[in-house]
Amino acid sequence: MELFATKGYAATTVDEIAATAGVARRTFFRHFRSKEEAIFPDHDDTLERAKAVLDAAPAHENPLDTVCRGIKEVMKMYASSPKVSVERYQLTREVPALREREIASVARYERLFTRYLLGHFDESAPGADGEIDEPLLAEVAASAVVTAHNHVLRRWLRAGGQGDVEGALDRAFAVVRRAFGDLPVISGRPPRPAGPAEGEVLVTVTRTDASLPEVMRLIEQALARREEAPSPP
């Protein structure tokens, strides 16, 4: 982040990052595949922590409350290093490629929460027009939780990482709960898994001259199609 601030993101090379950190270039690539990945090193672990919250949820808990608790893992990640989080936020506003990477990360959380909510809705509960549209309801509710979280997070980052972000987040979630307080929650049907089955393999084909950002986008698209596909009977 210091190099990006002084030299600019585009002008900073991996070699310079490695040298400043006091490690060899090959050591850098043992941990990160690119500069972009070095800026977002913690989303994979945070996604797993959020999934663990969903998997360990008490049977009596409203699934919307569970999702709100799950996304708090993201806020904890940012709040653990306010200075770095603010610098990273400023950088993503300036570099389109990083903004795209951030949007892709947000989409992963939304898919996780959508699948979880979909597994907890009552198929026998009709909608306002008598029709049942569980996928729409799950996606809208999950998006509302993520949007509320991101709204509070952006305010906190714009304020330099200062303020009672946890209290602001709880107030935002209260708004979401009022809007979705009558979700048709089920009892008795085992929920669908929050993520892909353990050991599942995804194969993606791309050109050998494709850039890393392009490859990452293709993988994200493939994962999105996989998670949107109907669950096997």
Side-chain angles (χ1 to χ4, degrees), residues 76-220:
K76 290 177 184 176
M77 173 192 74
Y78 282 96
S80 65
S81 303
K83 182 176 182 294
V84 173
S85 295
V86 170
E87 291 174 345
R88 182 164 64 179
Y89 172 73
Q90 293 170 343
L91 191 61
T92 57
R93 305 281 71 76
E94 301 168 1
V95 183
L98 298 182
R99 178 60 177 161
E100 290 177 8
R101 185 69 173 259
E102 186 180 53
I103 291 172
S105 295
V106 171
R108 294 172 68 192
Y109 294 111
E110 287 195 5
R111 290 195 298 271
L112 173 70
F113 298 143
T114 297
R115 287 179 62 85
Y116 180 78
L117 291 175
L118 186 56
H120 287 75
F121 286 163
D122 188 351
E123 292 178 337
S124 64
D129 57 359
E131 297 293 329
I132 299 172
D133 196 342
E134 286 183 287
L136 174 62
L137 184 58
E139 188 167 347
V140 171
S143 178
V145 172
V146 173
T147 299
H149 168 274
N150 290 349
H151 177 81
V152 172
L153 175 61
R154 283 193 298 269
R155 278 189 171 183
W156 179 73
L157 291 171
R158 289 169 183 164
Q162 302 294 318
D164 180 16
V165 67
E166 185 173 346
L169 194 59
D170 287 339
R171 289 190 292 274
F173 288 158
V175 173
V176 175
R177 290 188 186 95
R178 285 197 297 271
F180 293 90
D182 296 326
L183 291 178
V185 180
I186 69 168
S187 60
R189 188 179 72 181
R192 300 175 190 176
E198 184 176 356
E200 193 171 84
V201 176
L202 172 72
V203 177
T204 302
V205 179
T206 185
R207 304 188 316 275
T208 56
D209 61 345
S211 64
L212 180 60
E214 182 179 354
V215 173
M216 293 301 296
R217 280 195 294 272
L218 288 172
I219 293 174
E220 288 287 349

Side-chain angles (χ1 to χ4, degrees), residues 35-46:
K35 284 194 301 184
E36 291 85 357
E37 187 170 290
I39 296 172
F40 300 100
D42 32 22
H43 275 298
D44 287 345
D45 290 341
T46 304

Side-chain angles (χ1 to χ4, degrees), residues 9 12-19 21 23-38 212-213:
Y9 176 78
T12 301
T13 67
V14 168
D15 287 335
E16 289 171 325
I17 295 172
V23 300
R25 174 186 174 89
R26 63 179 179 275
T27 302
F28 176 93
F29 283 111
R30 287 197 191 107
H31 296 276
F32 311 110
R33 287 170 292 183
S34 65
K35 284 194 301 184
E36 291 85 357
E37 187 170 290
L212 180 60

